[in-house]
Amino acid sequence: MTNKAIPKKSVSVAIVGSGGAGSITAGSILLEAAGKTGWYGMMNRSVGPQIRGGEAAALVRLANHPVECTAEKYDLLIAIDWKNADRFAAEMPLKTEGLIIADPTSGPIPELISSSGATVAEIPIKELAKEIPGGRENMIAAGLAAGFIGLSVDDLMSVIGTKLANKGQAAIDASRACVEAGIAQSRNYDFRFEIGEADLRHKGRWLITGNEAIGLGAIRGGVRFAAAYPITPATEVLEWLSPSLTEVGGALVQAEDELSSINMAIGASFGGQPSITATSGPGLSLMMESLGLAAASEVPIVVVDVMRVGPSTGIATKSEQSDLNIAVYGFHGDAPHVVVAPLTVADCLYTGQWAAHLAEAMQVPTIVLSDQALGQSRVLMKRPANLSFFAKRKTWERTSEEPYLRYALTADGISPMAIPGTTGGQYTADGLTHSLRGHPSTRRSDQQDQMDKRHRKVADFDYGVHWGEITGEGETVILTWGSITGPAREAIRSLKAEGIKVKLVAMRLIAPFPKEALDQSLKGAKRVLVVEQSHSGQFRNYLRANTEIPGEIRHFHRPGPHNIGAGEIAAQIRDWK
Amino acid sequence: MTNKAIPKKSVSVAIVGSGGAGSITAGSILLEAAGKTGWYGMMNRSVGPQIRGGEAAALVRLANHPVECTAEKYDLLIAIDWKNADRFAAEMPLKTEGLIIADPTSGPIPELISSSGATVAEIPIKELAKEIPGGRENMIAAGLAAGFIGLSVDDLMSVIGTKLANKGQAAIDASRACVEAGIAQSRNYDFRFEIGEADLRHKGRWLITGNEAIGLGAIRGGVRFAAAYPITPATEVLEWLSPSLTEVGGALVQAEDELSSINMAIGASFGGQPSITATSGPGLSLMMESLGLAAASEVPIVVVDVMRVGPSTGIATKSEQSDLNIAVYGFHGDAPHVVVAPLTVADCLYTGQWAAHLAEAMQVPTIVLSDQALGQSRVLMKRPANLSFFAKRKTWERTSEEPYLRYALTADGISPMAIPGTTGGQYTADGLTHSLRGHPSTRRSDQQDQMDKRHRKVADFDYGVHWGEITGEGETVILTWGSITGPAREAIRSLKAEGIKVKLVAMRLIAPFPKEALDQSLKGAKRVLVVEQSHSGQFRNYLRANTEIPGEIRHFHRPGPHNIGAGEIAAQIRDWK
Amino acid sequence: MNAPTKNKFSARDFTSDLTPVWCPGCGDFHVLMSTTKALAELGTPPEDIAVISGIGCSSRIPAYTDCYGFHGVHGRSLALATGLKVASPGLTVLAMSGDGDGFSIGGNHFIHACRRNIDITYIVMDNRVYGMTKGQPSPTTEPDWDSALSPGGTGLSPFHPLVIALASGANFVARSFSGDIKNTTKIIVEAVKHPGFSFVQILSPCVTFRPDEKDWKNTVHPASVEETDDPARAARRIMTDDGMNTGILYRGNRAPYKPQVTGKGVETIELERQFEI
Amino acid sequence: MNAPTKNKFSARDFTSDLTPVWCPGCGDFHVLMSTTKALAELGTPPEDIAVISGIGCSSRIPAYTDCYGFHGVHGRSLALATGLKVASPGLTVLAMSGDGDGFSIGGNHFIHACRRNIDITYIVMDNRVYGMTKGQPSPTTEPDWDSALSPGGTGLSPFHPLVIALASGANFVARSFSGDIKNTTKIIVEAVKHPGFSFVQILSPCVTFRPDEKDWKNTVHPASVEETDDPARAARRIMTDDGMNTGILYRGNRAPYKPQVTGKGVETIELERQFEI
Ligand SMILES: Cc1ncc(C[n+]2csc(CCOP(=O)(O)OP(=O)(O)O)c2C)c(N)n1
Ligand SMILES: Cc1ncc(C[n+]2csc(CCOP(=O)(O)OP(=O)(O)O)c2C)c(N)n1
Ligand code: SF4
Ligand code: SF4
Ligand SMILES: [Mg+2]
Ligand SMILES: [Mg+2]
């Protein structure tokens, strides 16, 4: 084995093992420990088809700068065993200069992995664990990883100690012994995957998933009621909100289905409480009729759609960006509303909070299009700034003896809303075409007026700079939305290192279409690469319907479950000659 | 009163009256009687907000050529009484040279009507009816109308006689006396609204509504199962299908809601029976999740959406074309499917039958976008030709010992389907991403292959000439879809009479977008007027997303409830200078 | 919220100036009257009351009251009402709809609302038909009732709303006849007062599509037995009654659902600590 | 359809070669075994049987049988099964799903399927939890069961599927325990044979999210009373039992729904006459 100490700014580690082996726990410990020492990072998990207890892989990436997407190629693969590991093999290609750690008693290394050309180190993980009373294989694996990437025993133990606090000292000691054994083993090899110096200017990392961040954003934005029906990969939004809303004096109710959950949220919001629900594609489909009611009756509501592979039940545990169509166009009749999309895991907080603000300010249903890649990824991020997005509904109080006109025609289209309990404000919210007072009407002028008003309030609203993120400069542009932003940014960074200047335009506001701002951002573009994760090219199609993109256009897209990576995007630009 | 015998090719008559007055019956009799003598015609009804028993107006148009839209201005208005008639007044503007028949005992004529400048004839309808034992005011009205448009007592009695057959001779005699009295009264006036000679080459008229015609088309196309949940204005499709399916050996089941009805239809079709359901916007919204299941599991199914004013509950009894978005884009994930739209009431038969054929041939959910203006209008049409659209599903029979692959990749994307009962064909239909055998899969290649296949089968299908109707020629084109076709055709006819040549392109196939055929039809166009009944311009937006329209483009659109008329369309063209 | 002041209101204070679209003679007029009378008697000011409905003739009722109202989509009144009551526990919440809205498309919310036992009152105007869509059979329609959609009748045995309510956990179950305004008013008052989920079926004739129901005034009769708090006993009685028994048939003691809104009301910033490492 | 030939099949003939995704020890393995044994005993060839499900761990079952199957969307198995049976009356149709699929999102179809009484068999694998979405309370979950979504429990009294089935009109009602393969097989055989809508609740432990349910094998016990055909009597018994009573609890005599497929089979052209004038 040659001595190759490879200086790196980002290291990727995969830990695989069959059911019960604890590979995910090992990965989590590694991530948190890295965070405590001042690094950044991200972890995804890949699990087998079993409901639970099947094989699992922790996919960890650590870096000395914030990371927004997982690795496309791995430096280090630690296999606690190889059971069914071939299922994952395609998801974690190894670098040729990478390292594979295998237990010799686990049988042969799967072809797809060994063919990577990476070096193989045989380490008897099981035996090492057995030698330690109460020792566990995954703690050996954690120690090994720590050794190869330069984390210390103490770094790891500061995390493990807390986690095992109520399991007693013996458990903690056993873990320490395992970690030490793992690190000791790593010393036998000359491989080192160093991340570089930790960024200590910004201490105080947060460790958070996209699903948690959206929930937190919503609460920050003023949401105090949630209705829930579980669905993968959105359930964690609801599971995080449940105790958290209680903490802040709100409530979550579990509904019997999505028809109920959306209506519970609308009912709560009608009562004055900013409200939310979260779901995925199948649930969103069921909510569309009532989202139309919210639009017509002008009741604010936030619906988070954590997208997964479609159509129909599709693949619940994998990511896709294919609910753009339904979110924008899935209403019967014309129902102006808002659609926004977080760009990265960290941005879930920002966008969640913004969504609550938008919904309340405009009294409009607001759909947040997150996806599995954001929602179920855990990242180490900087402590976020405070944002000034708060739910601020224009309410009504009696100021004259005039009868209250719930749907009064105002210049900005937003009509003051009486909250039940307000004297003199009684009205009936209605999904029927209605007059200014809210009375059912079949009059042409009422329909036209209210349609104009609802269109106006959404179209004329000032979305400011939040509509999207623009980074870099150049005549070559990558135009994308949502979770592709992370890999696209990374692609642009690596292209920059090669001397290729590329600008990124990432849309956070999807509907209403931010035509002016987008056109402005694309001015002078000679080449525009549109990137998205959908089979039919929903985003491309949507762009085409709404604006004319300057210059030459290419379109890189595919359906899930395989996420689009930074390297692929960069290759698209490189190949464009 | 001056003698003005006005020669006409089309006459429009409105009969209004309060609850129980029977104005609709009078209109129906007029329409059918006109049909029996060889004329054509159409009748709509306009009713007040009461559920039933409120005031109503029969809007009848009769002509010596097939008519495809109601009149914009009326020749003759017969008011049995004026109760609440001002509610309708805006819907039935009178020609200046028209005639208003009013009972002097009913009080003053509403301002909006009298201001038309039409002549007023005071006829004591109530008194005339009272003078006849068992006489009814609406029969007097029918007689009056007959007199002014040139129908005879016998013409009317051939209809009334059948209708009253089981009410006894006395009732028939009373009606005859009323009709005679009405006709006699008309002789006191010099007004005549003559339709011209009846077209006797094509005898054997059909009298049918759009809703009935779609149902009949479906049965002709092979449909034998329907699931029902009532909703205005689609209920008559289901009410017609119920006894009719029984007649032909099929069945209709009333479901508890639309979630159930769509799944019942899918279940029946999975069993091999071509199946249908009909609904309107709110119901379609509820069906979208399961329509996605039909797309993913490749089960053919026809869903008729008789569109009404949206969003949400909107106006259930009025027409709009605003479900185009949801029909095309309302699925979560990418779910290739078919959307078609009948162009006229008569075309409901053709399109209904075609839809059954398309669904079955491609094993794909097919949405038919009809609307209230088509569905609830009754027309006199020529006896229709037989069409060769039949449900012909590619089924599977065992021919080898190879295991059956339900989702085999075929060149045309259509995989032979085993019908339960077929030995060796057992498989599980699934909305999860699946392998060729139908087993759940999370593999990238399975997802890609099946997405490609489902896209291919719909995109590559040969829709032939049925994609749309092109009439006329010229560099000025009216481009539209669905029920606007009727008024557009009429606009083109009247423009032609003025020497202005306009071509009509009406799309019957909405999705997949018939790009090639449409582009071909628009070749050389210098001016294209896009016409549709929606607030946001869904059709225009959809066109923009899918093709580039040549020449200068104008867009004429508005939401319901006021239907777009031929005169307005013609004016748009005339003004385009 | 404004503190309830007893007996200072009349039914007029709870009635709006909008003319109902109902057919002359429709039973729902009487339900409106009984409801507004009951609300007057209860004495809660109209601005502290919300009337929530779905779609149907009966579901038009909110706008005819002078309370806050929500005319939602078909079948979802109970879900709207649940969210509203949990988030605004100080309001008096009534859900009011029809047999089609409540038992057909809304059936799932019905059984789960009974089980959830939130303190709301659910009034269903049962005319055994879909009135608004012009006469199709509903779940409570007799099996042999002829209609265009089901020529000769559906052949299905009717749905027993009161039995289902009991079996699902409703805390108060009653039946009334719209024409009997006095007793209907009384029952509504009791239903609203009773904690938890109260269900009142009001037989309310559709004179247009079910003219035979005009005869109901002759066939309804007060329940011959006393009200009970034993659900099994109540179920047995209702299961074997003729569907025309009126009165309060069950008054239970189950504690109403208390959503966990009783949180500490901490600042958002405290929630954020969990993400710090 | 192929004529049923008795006793020439073994459970293997109804079992596919696909490996279930279920956790080792999951009760659903036993349900699969009992179902295939019952089908073998019934003797209908696999191609004349359809197994229809929704979404959930339990709902994965169709592909593990060698019958025709439909793995539909969440909660709609009974609607699919109804359409299929009406249009193809010669098939034996089983709907099989879970407590979340069947009683939560699918609750409305459940009560209406009972009422409609079509000749299908509905088997619900009840583990009192949403297994597939990783452990949330379902309608049958105990009120104090702690979970991430409902910390400390929902506080709601559980849904009684058998009572609801009876109240809604099911024609055959039974409860079984997955671990008791012999009796479960017997019950399924009887359920399929019985005309009309047959409902079987099978207590089927979720070993992963409800490890406490492993103890069910000790707590289930055969019903101490004989089966009955009196729904009121059956209801009373079930309402007061401990939820662990197994056996056939009700076997009714209601005639199954006969859709009007018995039409004259006339030619389409005859239908068209009505439009001629
Ligand atoms: C999703 C949806 N499906 C169907 C309808 C059509 N619809 C309106 S009211 C109604 C039935 C109402 O019946 P019921 O609740 O008994 O009210 P009633 O008119 O008899 O008082 C139906 C089916 C609708 N509005 N929305
Ligand atoms: C419309 C919709 N909502 C939610 C889900 C998510 N989901 C999948 S399975 C399931 C619950 C299944 O519970 P149960 O029927 O008890 O099955 P088990 O896994 O316990 O066997 C849910 C909520 C979905 N697939 N579709
Ligand atoms: S149709 Fe029937 S329920 Fe509707 S308003 Fe008229 S009488 Fe009442
Ligand atoms: S999670 Fe529970 S129900 Fe699902 S397979 Fe595992 S043990 Fe069975
Ligand atoms: Mg009703
Ligand atoms: Mg379960």
Side-chain angles (χ1 to χ4, degrees), chain A residues 49 257 259 281-286 288-289 292-296 308-318 320 322-323 325-336 430-433 441-445 447-448 451-452 454-455 534-538 541-542 544-547 558-562 568, chain B residues 49 257 259 281-286 288-289 292-296 308-318 320 322-323 325-336 430-433 441-445 447-448 451-452 454-455 534-538 541-542 544-547 558-562 568:
Chain A
D257 60 19
L259 305 161
L284 183 64
S285 289
L286 291 174
M288 293 310 298
E289 190 207 6
L293 172 68
R308 60 194 225 183
V309 174
S312 196
T313 315
I315 307 176
T317 53
K318 300 281 174 174
E320 202 171 71
S322 57
D323 294 352
N325 276 349
I326 183 175
V328 173
Y329 294 120
F331 296 72
H332 70 269
D334 279 309
D430 209 322
L432 283 173
T433 297
S441 166
T442 56
R443 283 171 63 172
R444 176 181 176 178
S445 57
Q447 171 73 355
Q448 185 76 48
M451 295 293 276
D452 288 347
R454 294 191 296 251
H455 171 76
S534 95
H535 185 264
S536 71
Q538 299 188 358
N541 199 269
Y542 182 56
R544 211 191 276 112
N546 287 286
T547 194
R558 68 153 174 265
H562 193 81
E568 293 179 288
Chain B
D257 60 19
L259 305 161
L284 184 65
S285 289
L286 291 174
M288 293 310 298
E289 190 206 6
L293 173 68
R308 61 193 225 183
V309 174
S312 196
T313 315
I315 307 175
T317 53
K318 300 282 173 173
E320 202 171 69
S322 57
D323 294 352
N325 276 348
I326 183 174
V328 173
Y329 294 120
F331 295 73
H332 71 270
D334 279 309
D430 209 323
L432 283 173
T433 296
S441 166
T442 57
R443 282 172 63 174
R444 176 181 175 179
S445 57
Q447 172 72 354
Q448 185 76 49
M451 295 292 276
D452 288 346
R454 293 192 296 251
H455 171 76
S534 93
H535 185 264
S536 71
Q538 299 188 358
N541 198 270
Y542 181 54
R544 211 191 277 113
N546 287 286
T547 194
R558 68 152 174 265
H562 193 79
E568 294 179 286

Side-chain angles (χ1 to χ4, degrees), chain B residues 148-164:
Chain B
F148 283 109
I149 64 179
L151 281 168
S152 72
V153 178
D154 287 348
D155 289 341
L156 257 57
M157 287 316 295
S158 74
V159 177
I160 297 172
T162 317
K163 280 214 190 334
L164 297 182

Side-chain angles (χ1 to χ4, degrees), chain A residues 270-469:
Chain A
F270 166 74
Q273 204 69 288
S275 299
I276 198 171
T277 186
T279 188
S280 190
L284 183 64
S285 289
L286 291 174
M287 292 181 185
M288 293 310 298
E289 190 207 6
S290 298
L291 274 166
L293 172 68
S297 62
E298 305 199 44
V299 176
I301 163 90
V302 176
V303 176
V304 179
D305 172 15
V306 187
M307 297 181 286
R308 60 194 225 183
V309 174
S312 196
T313 315
I315 307 176
T317 53
K318 300 281 174 174
S319 205
E320 202 171 71
Q321 293 187 300
S322 57
D323 294 352
L324 187 145
N325 276 349
I326 183 175
V328 173
Y329 294 120
F331 296 72
H332 70 269
D334 279 309
H337 63 287
V338 175
V339 181
V340 295
L343 307 177
T344 62
V345 175
D347 193 56
C348 285
L349 181 65
Y350 183 99
T351 303
Q353 189 165 348
W354 191 41
H357 166 72
L358 295 176
E360 292 287 321
M362 289 181 266
Q363 301 174 19
V364 79
T366 299
I367 300 173
V368 183
L369 289 179
S370 178
D371 61 25
Q372 188 275 336
L374 297 177
Q376 296 192 321
S377 292
R378 191 174 293 281
V379 300
L380 286 162
M381 61 180 274
K382 284 182 200 164
R383 178 198 291 278
N386 279 325
L387 300 172
S388 57
F389 302 133
F390 295 111
K392 220 177 146 0
R393 201 182 290 186
K394 202 199 249 182
T395 54
W396 179 91
E397 290 294 338
R398 183 179 274 313
T399 52
S400 78
E401 282 308 301
E402 292 297 299
Y404 169 51
L405 301 179
R406 165 63 184 107
Y407 300 110
L409 301 179
T410 55
D412 61 4
I414 301 160
S415 319
M417 183 171 176
I419 304 302
T422 310
T423 310
Q426 294 98 300
Y427 75 101
T428 292
D430 209 322
L432 283 173
T433 297
H434 45 249
S435 68
L436 305 185
R437 270 190 79 173
H439 291 167
S441 166
T442 56
R443 283 171 63 172
R444 176 181 176 178
S445 57
D446 281 327
Q447 171 73 355
Q448 185 76 48
D449 287 349
Q450 295 295 320
M451 295 293 276
D452 288 347
K453 176 180 113 75
R454 294 191 296 251
H455 171 76
R456 193 165 67 234
K457 71 177 182 181
V458 169
D460 296 353
F461 190 84
D462 180 8
Y463 299 89
V465 299
H466 315 297
W467 71 274
E469 294 284 337

Side-chain angles (χ1 to χ4, degrees), chain A residues 289, chain B residues 229-232 258 279 282-283 286 308 313, chain C residues 28 55-59 73-74 76 97-102 105 125 127-133 136 138 206:
Chain A
E289 190 207 6
Chain B
Y229 192 75
I231 187 166
T232 309
E258 288 90 348
T279 187
L286 291 174
R308 61 193 225 183
T313 315
Chain C
D28 296 347
I55 298 289
C57 297
S58 37
S59 290
V73 294
H74 192 35
R76 317 292 169 213
S97 79
D99 46 319
D101 191 81
I105 191 168
M125 294 164 247
N127 56 12
R128 302 191 184 166
V129 75
Y130 288 14
M132 176 143 272
T133 50
Q136 296 79 30
S138 88
C206 172

